[in-house]
Amino acid sequence: MQLSRLKPMAVFAAVVKTGNFSRAGKLLGISRPAVSAQIQKLEESLSVRLIQRTTRSVSLTQDGARLLPLAESVLSSLIDIDDVLTRDKPKGPIRVTATLDIMKSWLAPKLEAFTLQYPDITFDLVMTDQKIDLIENQIDLAIRVSRVNEQDFVARPVFDDQLAIYASPEYLDTLLEPITEQNLEFCRWIVLEQLMPNRTVNVMKGDETLRFQPSRYDIVNSPSMLNELVVAGRGLGCLIYQNVQHLLKEGKVVPVLPEWHGDSLTCYLLYPSRQHIPMRLRLFIDYLLESRDKI
């Protein structure tokens, strides 16, 4: 039995898991050159090439693919050891990404209660309206609304929601006549391009559907900016119900034609794998799922 191969095998599994040497080093707490040295050591001891290297990525050889399941079991055992040793005192950072509106309306209120339970767990919050690469940006957990099309990621639904039409009282006061189904498309709109391809508004009431491109509209690519412009009286907007509860309570927005609604949406927790999840991340995911219905 060659115990000297165990560490290089764990490093090999980490390289495949993260996609390159630098991220593997960060996962394991060692330098990139140390990762490279361990891979070279393993390949030399086995007299086979395990990884094809390029400047941006790595790919497995046939021998590497055959060895990978065994290497993954070594890495998994090391992670499990860490979990056992730190089970009573989970600590460390969790890097989370979400849009600003989800961060403010849904996630932020939950962080305080979680931190009271686990004061040694900290957060690195990446707020962006762009769909960033989770591996490239070393994201532990993403919170995303609407369609999820990333392969090889776990998607856990946390709440369902729906788009509805809202406006500020100030905007409604500028109109010469009440808003109806007939004049809806002639109002001024703020369109979120991620949810309204081709600048098309799509709303439904029972079996009826209204689909139109407004005659006047602004385009934004940020849900939080959409909310801000509606509050500022710029026009109508299809907003996510969960994200406007505080605005409704404060009277900053009001529903428009509430019997009509937009598409249904689902908010997901998205993370790279069910395996090798650090205890701190597993605890946070479980906490969010348990409190999924709380705004």
Side-chain angles (χ1 to χ4, degrees):
M1 180 183 297
Q2 297 196 29
L3 297 178
S4 61
R5 290 178 178 167
L6 293 179
K7 179 178 179 180
M9 285 182 67
V11 174
F12 167 58
V15 169
V16 177
K17 172 182 172 65
T18 59
N20 68 37
F21 284 28
S22 296
R23 289 194 292 267
K26 291 180 179 180
L27 175 66
L28 298 171
I30 60 178
S31 67
R32 187 190 186 286
V35 171
S36 181
Q38 290 297 321
I39 296 298
Q40 183 177 354
K41 178 180 178 180
L42 182 59
E43 289 179 330
E44 289 176 352
S45 72
L46 297 173
S47 299
V48 296
R49 192 169 186 81
L50 302 172
I51 292 174
Q52 299 289 359
R53 304 160 178 81
T54 67
T55 55
R56 293 190 176 184
S57 63
V58 298
S59 60
L60 288 174
T61 64
Q62 289 186 353
D63 290 319
R66 291 170 59 193
L67 184 65
L68 181 59
L70 295 175
E72 287 177 332
S73 67
V74 175
L75 179 61
S76 177
S77 295
L78 293 176
I79 292 175
D80 288 345
I81 289 172
D82 286 342
D83 283 349
V84 168
L85 294 177
T86 61
R87 186 163 294 157
D88 295 331
K89 48 179 182 179
K91 60 182 180 179
I94 300 175
R95 189 166 166 85
V96 183
T97 186
T99 58
L100 177 60
D101 56 328
I102 289 293
M103 282 277 191
K104 290 175 62 177
S105 66
W106 190 77
L107 182 62
K110 296 173 171 50
L111 292 181
E112 183 176 359
F114 181 81
T115 301
L116 288 175
Q117 295 183 52
Y118 305 105
D120 294 325
I121 296 177
T122 60
F123 292 91
D124 180 357
L125 302 178
V126 180
M127 289 169 282
T128 175
D129 293 317
Q130 305 305 313
K131 188 177 288 187
I132 61 175
D133 185 292
L134 304 188
I135 299 299
E136 184 69 28
N137 291 275
Q138 301 176 36
I139 299 296
D140 297 309
L141 180 69
I143 303 172
R144 289 187 173 162
V145 174
S146 191
R147 306 170 188 85
V148 172
N149 54 17
E150 286 90 344
Q151 296 181 350
D152 302 322
F153 287 84
V154 179
R156 304 282 299 277
V158 284
F159 63 82
D160 294 321
D161 213 325
Q162 199 166 60
L163 296 173
I165 307 170
Y166 295 93
S168 71
E170 290 76 13
Y171 172 75
L172 296 179
D173 287 342
T174 67
L175 301 180
L176 299 178
E177 58 184 20
I179 297 176
T180 66
E181 301 167 18
Q182 289 71 36
N183 64 21
L184 191 61
E185 65 181 289
F186 302 108
C187 297
R188 187 175 190 91
W189 283 79
I190 302 98
V191 173
L192 180 64
E193 64 178 0
Q194 295 96 311
L195 295 180
M196 294 183 176
N198 303 316
R199 288 56 166 167
T200 300
V201 177
N202 187 58
V203 290
M204 295 149 276
K205 181 180 72 172
D207 296 330
E208 297 180 67
T209 298
L210 281 178
R211 185 176 291 109
F212 57 87
Q213 188 175 89
S215 56
R216 295 179 299 154
Y217 58 87
D218 297 324
I219 305 167
V220 296
N221 64 355
S222 164
S224 55
M225 180 55 69
L226 169 63
N227 292 356
E228 292 294 334
L229 290 177
V230 172
V231 169
R234 185 68 178 170
L236 303 181
C238 280
L239 310 181
I240 298 174
Y241 175 78
Q242 182 109 222
N243 290 346
V244 298
Q245 291 306 291
H246 63 293
L247 300 177
L248 286 167
K249 292 176 182 177
E250 295 168 5
K252 293 182 178 179
V253 299
V254 294
V256 175
L257 300 181
E259 67 274 17
W260 289 85
H261 62 83
D263 292 332
S264 297
L265 304 171
T266 300
C267 181
Y268 295 90
L269 302 181
L270 196 66
Y271 51 98
S273 175
R274 291 186 187 275
Q275 298 179 326
H276 316 314
I277 301 177
M279 176 61 68
R280 62 184 180 274
L281 179 57
R282 185 179 297 118
L283 288 169
F284 187 54
I285 290 171
D286 289 344
Y287 173 80
L288 292 180
L289 292 174
E290 290 169 2
S291 61
R292 68 182 74 193
D293 296 324
K294 301 175 183 178
I295 297 176

